Every structure is written in C-alpha cells, then in structure tokens.
C-alpha cells in the first residue's frame, strides 16, 4: 500500500530581508566607488588622445595648403581657409578638409595663429579647463 503524504501550504513568504538588501546595496556602492574613478580617468585620457589626433590631421591639411598656396593661412583667415577658398588665393587647390574643422573634445574651437610664437604656426587646444597652461587634463595640447 502506498501512503500519500500531503504537503500543507504554509503562509511563509519567501524574499529578502531589509538587512540583506542593505548589504547588497553597500557592496554595489563600494564597487562603484572603486571602478568609477578608474573609468572616468580613461575618458579624460581618450579626450586628450582625440585632441592630439585632430591637431595632427589639421596640421597635415595646413601643410598641404602651404604646398599649394605658398604660405599658411593668415590668422584672420583661420582654419576655415582649409575648406573655403580665400578670396585672394588663386593657387588654392582645396578643400583640404571635407568639412569645417571640428571643435576640440571639450567643445571649443582650436586656436590657430600664423606666424606662430613657438612654431611656424601655432595650433592648440586649451584642454579641459579652456585656459592657457594647466596640468593633466587641463594642460594645453599643441602642435609643437
């Protein structure tokens, strides 16, 4: 003969206690506090590398402009001369860029000066703080 065992329904609810939830939240907070700064420092480094790459590309376009025209664009003409023919340049063979020069990774235009103070021409981004000088992410990124 077989005996059937009946299971009684219990009213016990299964779930997490408040203490268990708090422990999990503290662990997640500690992990975020440890990983967050490392992640954001990588973002800053990538912005600096992107600015260096953009300056390098602009510098190459400026050199091509000089080969065609005979000199770099004047400070007043700026980097727009790489896209739009200046009115007084008959030997212009551009455009030397497919579109207007991009802003730096922090949303500000690159500074251009010809003749330059430190090189044939000065091309720079003032970094994260937008001010001359600085250190780390706030340091100027230049072509010299």
């Amino acid at each position: 003969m077989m005996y059937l065992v009946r299971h009684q329904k219990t009213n016990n609810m299964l779930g997490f206690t408040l203490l268990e939830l708090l422990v999990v939240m503290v662990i997640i907070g500690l992990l975020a506090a440890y990983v967050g700064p490392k992640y954001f420092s990588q973002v800053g480094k990538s912005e600096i590398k992107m600015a260096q790459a953009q300056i390098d590309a602009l510098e190459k376009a400026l050199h091509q402009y000089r080969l065609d025209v005979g000199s770099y664009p004047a400070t007043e003409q700026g980097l727009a001369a790489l896209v739009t023919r200046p009115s007084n340049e008959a030997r212009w063979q551009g455009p030397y860029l497919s579109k207007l020069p991009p802003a730096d990774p922090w949303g500000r235009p690159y500074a251009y000066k010809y003749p330059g103070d430190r090189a044939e021409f000065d091309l720079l981004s003032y970094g994260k703080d937008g001010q001359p000088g600085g250190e780390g992410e706030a340091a100027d990124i230049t072509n010299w």
Side-chain angles (χ1 to χ4, degrees), residues 62 65-66 71-79 81-82 112-114:
L62 285 163
Y65 179 98
R66 184 184 60 83
S71 68
Y72 294 106
T75 303
E76 298 77 33
Q77 294 171 319
L79 298 174
L82 298 172
Y112 170 75
K113 182 180 178 187
Y114 176 75

Side-chain angles (χ1 to χ4, degrees), residues 36-52 104-106 125 127-129 135-139 141:
K38 292 183 184 278
Y39 171 75
F40 287 112
S41 72
Q42 295 301 318
V43 170
K45 288 178 186 175
S46 68
E47 288 172 332
I48 291 169
K49 287 182 181 181
M50 186 162 77
Q52 289 169 335
D104 70 9
W106 301 278
S125 165
K128 186 174 185 174
D129 66 352
E135 295 180 10
E137 291 181 27
I141 301 152

Side-chain angles (χ1 to χ4, degrees), residues 8-19:
Q8 289 183 347
K9 276 189 169 180
T10 60
N11 287 335
N12 294 341
M13 301 278 293
L14 298 176
F16 297 106
T17 65
L18 180 60
L19 182 61

Side-chain angles (χ1 to χ4, degrees), residues 18-72:
L18 180 60
L19 182 61
E20 292 170 328
L21 290 174
L22 287 174
V23 168
V24 169
M25 289 173 56
V26 166
I27 291 171
I28 290 172
L30 289 172
L31 286 172
Y34 178 73
V35 172
K38 292 183 184 278
Y39 171 75
F40 287 112
S41 72
Q42 295 301 318
V43 170
K45 288 178 186 175
S46 68
E47 288 172 332
I48 291 169
K49 287 182 181 181
M50 186 162 77
Q52 289 169 335
Q54 287 176 339
I55 285 175
D56 185 53
L58 292 171
E59 191 174 20
K60 288 176 181 168
L62 285 163
H63 290 312
Q64 185 62 46
Y65 179 98
R66 184 184 60 83
L67 287 173
D68 290 346
V69 174
S71 68
Y72 294 106

Side-chain angles (χ1 to χ4, degrees), residues 57-58 61 79-84 92 94-102:
L58 292 171
L79 298 174
L82 298 172
V83 180
T84 307
W92 191 84
Y96 302 95
L97 296 173
S98 59
K99 57 185 177 179
L100 285 174

